[in-house]
Amino acid sequence: MNAICSSAKLGKWPENPSSEALGVSAAQSRELLRQATEKAAQEKADVVPPVCPLCHQPLSRLSADHGRTFESKFGPITVRRTRGYCRRCRKWRFAADAVLGLEETAGYSPRVQEMAALLASKMPVGEASAVLEHLTGVKMPRATLDREARRQGERAQRLRKKLDEQACRGLQPAVQQELVLEPYQMIIQMDAWNIRERDDWGQTGKMRQAGQEPERWHWVYTGTCFRLDQRGKTAGGRPMISQRGFVATREGIDGLREQLHAEALRRGLGQAAGALVIADGAVWIWRLADDRFAQARQRLDFYHAVQHLAAVGRAIYGEDKDKLKSWLRPLVKQLKNESSIKVIQQLEDILASLPAGAPAQAVAKEVDYLREHQDRMDYRAGGRRGEPIGSGAIESTCRQTQCRFKRPGQYWSQQGDEALLCLEIFWRNERWHLLFPHNRPIDPSKN
Ligand SMILES: [Zn+2]
């Protein structure tokens, strides 16, 4: 009906008669696809044996022809199914629903469920609802789409947990490892960024009266891991990584630790000749690394170390940018190409020559910091081995994820966040098909 209406609208532009012709044929072909989908779904339902999908016991008291209509990619389709009673579960069951992927849905086909989940993980739900209708003609109100995406996200969280447990027990890695001929290093990077959530739903008025803002910033913990031999350069010289794993979670440092460990195992940590954790100076990262990646070497992000050097320069030279630059340049070079010990020694000499006061205090603080991380600043050796000296890979990951989750005026709840983050990570890790196994590309019954 809608497609016919829109083709009538197109008819208002007589200078473009081909659009009208196209519109009509699009409606007709959509109807043909809808019929084909309905037929394929019915054929599939007809051959499902009357067995309980949960406990696999034969069903009794069978009765046929229970119709159920749901929204497919090409419009509403109706499938007639057989109902039976499971004596063990003490429940009426439709065995076909499980096979067709219709068990828990609010009346949408698996393909439409998948589209809702994918769109909601890529854009705000209001937009997702409009895009879905524009591209496919499927109408799913914003609230329904939100609920559907969240349900898929929660399903994704359960699957992630199961896959992570399997990875930790050494059962079937999700990523097929090719035969490893050369020893390789596993690179692990971590970082965190803030997400704005609205806590205390329903309490807004009260809180505002009490002078509190009902929004909070929370940490999203993020990690990435990849094999060093899978890092290369594009034709344009830009660094790229052909295969890497991602983790992003609102489940705190503990959540990151377990998820990243499982991801690293799936990506080949167990077969790696060694591992290297690269990050900025956050204390929690090194604790996590000591705890879960105890064998891994640790490296402070080079850019981060340079920022601390620059802080020393600012303490000495104040706002004199030229002096600061000419002082900083050789030190940065030394840090990269020679040794951190040499650089720190020079800073200590400077500190000894400074009179007591604010600049000396600032320099002392930076020297302490650099001393603490001295062993994590092996940039020369790292560079020679072709290892990254910076944590650029995780920083770009954070930026990309933030683009979706940190838009102006967006508020999130912890549950909603984790569900959508989980969907996003399944997509990025190329594990989406594990979440939607019903939707194989050439299966018309799943459209
Ligand atoms: Zn049963």
Side-chain angles (χ1 to χ4, degrees):
M1 271 307 272
N2 292 312
I4 292 165
C5 290
S6 66
S7 70
K9 263 191 226 155
L10 285 171
K12 285 179 191 165
W13 283 276
E15 68 273 20
N16 192 7
S18 59
S19 298
E20 187 175 8
L22 256 176
V24 170
S25 80
Q28 284 170 339
S29 66
R30 189 167 192 259
E31 173 55 19
L32 286 174
L33 286 165
R34 191 197 68 76
Q35 287 172 14
T37 302
E38 192 169 62
K39 189 162 170 273
Q42 188 61 57
E43 279 166 4
K44 197 157 208 168
D46 289 343
V47 296
V48 176
V51 171
C52 174
L54 256 76
C55 70
H56 310 293
Q57 289 296 301
L59 299 171
S60 60
R61 292 150 75 184
L62 301 176
S63 60
D65 258 4
H66 293 269
R68 183 170 178 196
T69 302
F70 57 93
E71 198 64 40
S72 83
K73 189 177 163 187
F74 307 115
I77 65 174
T78 301
V79 180
R80 315 215 144 263
R81 310 104 76 228
T82 295
R83 190 183 73 170
Y85 189 73
C86 175
R87 285 202 198 92
R88 183 180 283 180
C89 299
R90 296 185 181 178
K91 282 222 159 86
W92 291 98
R93 300 276 189 217
F94 294 93
D97 283 6
V99 175
L100 291 170
L102 296 174
E103 276 169 311
E104 299 173 55
T105 177
Y108 294 95
S109 74
R111 179 68 83 204
V112 176
Q113 293 167 34
E114 177 189 6
M115 290 191 288
L118 184 54
L119 286 169
S121 69
K122 300 287 174 201
M123 60 185 76
V125 279
E127 219 174 294
S129 171
V131 169
L132 179 65
E133 186 175 349
H134 182 77
L135 292 180
T136 68
V138 173
K139 282 188 176 158
M140 195 187 280
R142 190 192 154 125
T144 312
L145 194 143
D146 192 29
R147 208 168 40 238
E148 188 57 38
R150 196 163 291 197
R151 195 173 67 80
Q152 297 300 336
E154 283 161 6
R155 205 165 62 77
Q157 282 173 256
R158 292 193 293 274
L159 180 59
R160 176 180 70 195
K161 195 157 181 264
K162 193 174 128 194
L163 294 172
D164 285 358
E165 281 166 8
Q166 285 178 352
C168 290
R169 278 186 283 137
L171 302 168
Q172 10 161 265
V175 177
Q176 190 70 41
Q177 298 292 334
E178 70 244 51
L179 187 63
V180 181
L181 300 172
E182 299 284 331
Y184 60 85
Q185 296 284 320
M186 176 66 67
I187 311 294
I188 298 163
Q189 301 188 3
M190 288 171 255
D191 206 350
W193 51 275
N194 268 310
I195 197 166
R196 186 168 54 160
E197 290 173 0
R198 178 170 280 175
D199 298 346
D200 314 301
W201 279 100
Q203 306 288 310
T204 311
K206 259 189 211 163
M207 291 183 69
R208 288 234 163 92
Q209 273 174 2
Q212 292 170 294
E213 263 311 296
E215 65 179 57
R216 302 273 191 287
W217 292 91
H218 294 284
W219 291 108
V220 175
Y221 289 97
T222 311
T224 188
C225 55
F226 56 89
R227 284 167 47 172
L228 188 57
D229 61 347
Q230 287 170 345
R231 195 179 77 132
K233 281 202 164 114
T234 61
R238 208 164 52 87
M240 57 147 253
I241 301 157
S242 62
Q243 282 184 39
R244 68 181 172 120
F246 301 94
V247 170
T249 183
R250 271 282 287 112
E251 291 181 349
I253 293 169
D254 292 346
L256 177 70
R257 184 179 54 229
E258 300 317 314
Q259 290 174 38
L260 187 56
H261 185 236
E263 189 59 36
L265 287 170
R266 274 192 292 265
R267 301 275 168 182
L269 177 65
Q271 295 79 44
L276 170 66
V277 174
I278 310 176
D280 68 19
V283 175
W284 66 266
I285 293 179
W286 307 121
R287 274 200 203 127
L288 190 159
D290 287 339
D291 186 10
R292 189 48 99 221
F293 304 101
Q295 309 300 318
R297 291 174 291 129
Q298 300 181 354
R299 181 170 299 149
L300 179 71
D301 169 54
F302 179 70
Y303 179 71
H304 202 80
V306 169
Q307 282 180 318
H308 283 268
L309 280 183
V312 173
R314 275 195 305 275
I316 306 167
Y317 298 107
E319 290 308 300
D320 192 337
K321 291 226 168 82
D322 289 337
K323 270 193 179 160
L324 170 61
K325 261 190 200 162
S326 53
W327 173 81
L328 191 57
R329 202 174 298 123
L331 280 177
V332 170
K333 251 189 193 163
Q334 254 181 6
L335 184 65
K336 189 171 181 180
N337 303 324
E338 295 173 42
S339 86
S340 60
I341 298 168
K342 260 191 189 172
V343 172
I344 293 168
Q345 257 161 15
Q346 290 170 70
L347 300 182
E348 280 175 339
D349 292 346
I350 292 169
L351 181 60
S353 70
L354 286 174
Q361 272 177 15
V363 173
K365 199 179 126 210
E366 299 304 335
V367 170
D368 281 350
Y369 180 90
L370 293 168
R371 265 261 175 261
E372 194 196 321
H373 292 292
Q374 187 175 302
D375 296 336
R376 298 190 178 111
M377 297 194 285
D378 58 339
Y379 304 121
R380 185 177 65 158
R384 282 186 178 174
R385 280 197 291 258
E387 294 167 356
I389 59 169
S391 51
I394 189 63
E395 280 153 27
S396 72
T397 304
C398 285
R399 266 198 303 281
Q400 287 161 23
T401 324
Q402 284 182 58
C403 284
R404 165 64 187 93
F405 288 91
K406 242 173 143 169
R407 293 187 180 192
Q410 277 188 329
Y411 292 92
W412 302 86
S413 66
Q414 181 180 351
Q415 273 181 318
D417 278 349
E418 190 60 18
L420 287 180
L421 279 169
C422 192
L423 287 174
E424 168 71 13
I425 295 303
F426 263 85
W427 180 263
R428 279 181 170 252
N429 282 328
E430 294 175 17
R431 238 164 264 147
W432 189 260
H433 62 285
L434 298 179
L435 198 52
F436 293 95
H438 283 98
N439 300 336
R440 289 185 196 94
I442 37 163
D443 183 351
S445 74
K446 292 304 169 192
N447 277 307

